Amino acid sequence: MSERSDSQKMSGILHRSKSEIDSSSSGVKQRGDAVRKEMDALVNIPEENGSTPTKGGPVSPSPLRIFSQAKKKMNEIFIELDAQVKESTAFLKRISQGVVPVNLETVDHVEKQYSKIKGITEMVARDHMKVVFFGRTSNGKSTVINAMLRDKILPSGIGHTTSCFIQVEGTDEPEGYAQTEGSDEKFGVSSVANLSHALNQGHLGEESLVRLHWPKNKCFLLREDVVLVDSPGIDVTPDTDIWIDKYCLDADVFVLVANSESTLMQAEKNFFHKVSTRLSKPNVFILNNRWDASANEPEFMDEVRRQHLDRNLEFLTKELGVISNQQALERVYFVSAKEVLMTAQKKQQNAIVNPGAFPDGYLMRMQDFDTFERKFQECLSKSAVRTKFEHHTQQGRKIAHEMRNLLEEVYEQSNLTRALQEEDRLRQESLFHLKTTHFESMSVDFKEKIDALSRKAGQEVSFFLFQSKTFSFENGKNVKFFSQSDYCRLQGRIGAAADHRQPLHQKLADDG
């Protein structure tokens, strides 16, 4: 069967049309803008235009770029918030020593926000977009991750291959390395197979974790802070609660890798039912892997695809109830991860990729995987920004709100104190003016009285002097003597005048 006839045959049953795919390809920026409009204003960041194509990935800008930009902006905001809290706390402590009353317990509470802000900043720096892959044994989970990384990094093969969880994350170092959980010791990438391959006697347990650090410059997803987690088959153990608690609660997207050669099994459904009870509406994508096997039975291809699609949609919309039927159409895909990986490896070797060398329907499967990656990136970035930063945003707003309320309280108290002090100042000025006027009036009055007394005393002295008798001469000068009675009478009048003047001075002093 030719590629053209295969394409015509499948066009009627594809759950997404070619026009939709073309529109999606040409509208990445418009979708990114739509995502931004739904973001909180705190992380509303303009898009960076222009980027160098990265080996093993699409050309930026990508919806994933929103997360890294939001992460950078969030960090800048909390650094600024930290500086403002420190400055405000120092100001409150300083004014608390003055006339403005400040609750020092409240100031101490705000000061304790330093450590909280520092912790949030550190958490933001560590935040990443997390994707966890689940499915039954040998469904191709590791191969799907390798296909998305465009390189064979994880061990894969027939049978039970992955015995533990493997977390693939980016590193700025030029060479990759591996670490076991709780250890800083670095191992070579080749050791991952020994640590995680179920056929090796020294492999780790199913609940253990191997962290594989792969150079960011080799993979677009890792460069954009995406972490991919591979898992053992969910049919390995009946008790998966520990898996959910340990690896799923902080996941942004789940990818259920199903086997196209069989149907969606109850073990897979039960696992995601457990996940949905712990997480509100988890984002689940279903990859029907190994769809290239359908080329062996082309006469049943359409019917099998429709059967898988109906069951997948029913599981997502009715059983899990996480999305609508229209949304679910963008969550189910029919792919061959092995073909995607082989194609990527050939391109890396600069070899010519011949579609005719693959089973019929190769181009449709590649197109479906490409559509999956675009929709996956949109969902992942949107979900991660909300789940990772929403709590941080709420905490930051709470700290800023507390600080604002405290400063407003201090501001209002300062205005009240200022108004009271201004009122007291005006009252004191009025009283001072009143007393000053009264003092000046009394001073003038008392001065006139003193002058009058002085004039009267002078007149009386002159009168007595005039009435005195001269009875002796000495050295040719006329010497006046008073009689004893005249002298006593004059002394009495002068004393009376002095006694009258003394109370006036005392009264002036008291009033002043």
Side-chain angles (χ1 to χ4, degrees):
M1 182 184 296
S2 66
E3 285 293 327
R4 182 176 180 182
S5 60
D6 181 76
S7 176
Q8 292 174 344
K9 184 175 183 179
M10 298 187 65
S11 61
I13 61 169
L14 285 176
H15 62 280
R16 67 194 62 80
S17 65
K18 185 176 184 301
S19 61
E20 290 175 329
I21 295 173
D22 293 339
S23 175
S24 177
S25 176
S26 63
V28 174
K29 186 178 184 300
Q30 287 77 3
R31 292 195 303 272
D33 292 339
V35 172
R36 285 169 178 75
K37 292 179 181 179
E38 297 176 0
M39 285 184 179
D40 188 274
L42 188 62
V43 291
N44 188 15
I45 306 166
E47 184 180 36
E48 292 181 8
N49 294 322
S51 179
T52 304
T54 304
K55 181 180 180 181
V59 178
S60 293
S62 161
L64 297 178
R65 183 61 54 83
I66 299 172
F67 179 85
S68 59
Q69 292 176 336
K71 182 176 178 179
K72 179 181 178 181
K73 185 65 176 179
M74 182 74 70
N75 186 63
E76 293 175 353
I77 290 174
F78 273 96
I79 290 176
E80 181 180 357
L81 179 60
D82 180 70
Q84 292 179 353
V85 169
K86 289 180 179 179
E87 181 181 356
S88 299
T89 305
F91 167 74
L92 292 174
K93 284 186 174 182
R94 186 170 64 252
I95 66 173
S96 65
Q97 307 299 324
V99 295
V100 180
V102 179
N103 189 340
L104 293 180
E105 293 183 359
T106 305
V107 177
D108 292 339
H109 172 71
V110 175
E111 190 174 12
K112 292 178 181 178
Q113 305 301 322
Y114 295 159
S115 58
K116 184 181 293 186
I117 293 175
K118 181 179 179 182
I120 294 175
T121 304
E122 292 176 352
M123 290 177 64
V124 170
R126 293 195 304 267
D127 280 338
H128 49 245
M129 294 174 279
K130 184 176 181 179
V131 186
V132 185
F133 294 77
F134 284 103
R136 288 184 294 124
T137 301
S138 294
N139 279 8
K141 299 182 295 296
S142 301
T143 305
V144 170
I145 295 178
N146 287 334
M148 296 180 70
L149 297 175
R150 304 297 194 266
D151 203 347
K152 189 173 182 180
I153 300 174
L154 302 179
S156 60
I158 61 173
H160 181 199
T161 304
T162 306
S163 64
C164 65
F165 283 83
I166 305 177
Q167 178 170 301
V168 184
E169 54 190 278
T171 178
D172 293 324
E173 298 187 15
E175 297 295 333
Y177 61 92
Q179 290 179 311
T180 56
E181 189 176 13
S183 174
D184 294 331
E185 185 179 359
K186 296 181 180 181
F187 303 92
V189 175
S190 59
S191 63
V192 174
N194 297 327
L195 294 172
S196 63
H197 204 295
L199 299 180
N200 290 332
Q201 294 182 352
H203 68 77
L204 298 175
E206 61 191 28
E207 297 172 5
S208 302
L209 174 69
V210 175
R211 297 176 61 190
L212 176 57
H213 301 264
W214 194 248
K216 293 181 180 180
N217 59 2
K218 294 183 178 181
C219 179
F220 169 77
L221 292 176
L222 302 183
R223 186 169 61 85
E224 297 296 339
D225 289 329
V226 177
V227 171
L228 307 176
V229 181
D230 194 7
S231 66
I234 58 177
D235 51 346
V236 171
T237 176
D239 186 12
T240 56
D241 292 338
I242 297 179
W243 292 10
I244 296 174
D245 292 337
K246 196 171 183 180
Y247 301 109
C248 298
L249 297 183
D250 61 341
D252 299 296
V253 170
F254 295 89
V255 178
L256 170 57
V257 181
N259 189 347
S260 297
E261 297 181 83
S262 64
T263 188
L264 199 61
M265 305 299 291
Q266 194 61 41
E268 297 165 316
K269 293 182 178 182
N270 290 340
F271 175 80
F272 280 97
H273 278 300
K274 289 183 178 180
V275 171
S276 64
T277 61
R278 304 296 299 278
L279 296 176
S280 177
K281 294 186 177 181
N283 297 303
V284 182
F285 284 80
I286 299 179
L287 288 185
N288 292 280
N289 193 30
R290 298 180 179 174
W291 185 240
D292 53 320
S294 63
N296 298 327
E297 298 179 351
E299 65 276 13
F300 299 110
M301 183 184 299
D302 296 350
E303 290 77 6
V304 173
R305 184 186 181 104
R306 173 53 61 184
Q307 182 186 64
H308 284 334
L309 180 60
D310 290 342
R311 290 181 177 178
N312 292 165
L313 295 179
E314 182 180 5
F315 172 64
L316 292 176
T317 59
K318 295 182 179 180
E319 296 187 38
L320 288 183
V322 293
I323 49 177
S324 65
N325 190 71
Q326 184 177 0
Q327 292 173 320
L329 288 173
E330 297 182 344
R331 298 291 182 89
V332 181
Y333 298 89
F334 295 81
V335 301
S336 172
K338 183 178 179 180
E339 290 179 342
V340 176
L341 179 59
M342 292 175 61
T343 302
Q345 290 176 328
K346 285 182 176 295
K347 290 182 178 180
Q348 291 176 4
Q349 298 169 1
N350 295 322
I352 298 176
V353 179
N354 181 16
F358 296 92
D360 289 342
Y362 164 77
L363 294 180
M364 297 301 297
R365 292 188 293 273
M366 292 294 293
Q367 191 177 56
D368 229 25
F369 195 87
D370 179 69
T371 305
F372 155 70
E373 287 190 308
R374 289 198 301 272
K375 297 296 183 182
F376 159 81
Q377 290 178 21
E378 294 173 16
C379 177
L380 176 61
S381 181
K382 183 177 179 180
S383 173
V385 168
R386 287 181 173 177
T387 58
K388 305 297 184 185
F389 297 150
E390 182 177 11
H391 181 62
H392 299 331
T393 302
Q394 292 175 352
Q395 285 186 308
R397 283 176 172 171
K398 182 179 179 181
I399 294 172
H401 183 69
E402 289 179 354
M403 203 71 221
R404 178 179 178 178
N405 287 343
L406 179 58
L407 292 175
E408 286 182 347
E409 180 182 343
V410 172
Y411 177 74
E412 292 175 359
Q413 186 63 41
S414 300
N415 284 338
L416 178 61
T417 303
R418 179 181 179 181
L420 292 175
Q421 290 181 342
E422 180 67 15
E423 182 180 347
D424 184 65
R425 184 186 67 82
L426 293 175
R427 185 180 63 81
Q428 293 289 349
E429 285 184 353
S430 177
L431 181 60
F432 177 77
H433 178 71
L434 178 63
K435 288 191 174 185
T436 300
T437 304
H438 183 57
F439 176 79
E440 291 176 351
S441 176
M442 291 182 65
S443 296
V444 172
D445 186 40
F446 291 158
K447 184 179 179 181
E448 291 177 352
K449 289 182 179 181
I450 291 172
D451 290 343
L453 289 174
S454 298
R455 286 194 301 271
K456 184 176 181 181
Q459 289 173 359
E460 290 186 1
V461 170
S462 298
F463 173 77
F464 283 113
L465 290 176
F466 179 77
Q467 294 294 331
S468 62
K469 297 178 180 180
T470 303
F471 59 90
S472 65
F473 296 91
E474 183 178 353
N475 297 327
K477 294 183 179 179
N478 188 15
V479 179
K480 296 180 181 179
F481 292 94
F482 295 100
S483 64
Q484 185 67 26
S485 59
D486 292 338
Y487 179 78
C488 291
R489 187 170 54 183
L490 179 61
Q491 283 291 103
R493 289 183 176 274
I494 294 174
D499 292 340
H500 182 70
R501 183 178 180 183
Q502 182 64 28
L504 295 178
H505 283 285
Q506 184 63 40
K507 187 174 182 181
L508 285 173
D510 294 340
D511 293 341

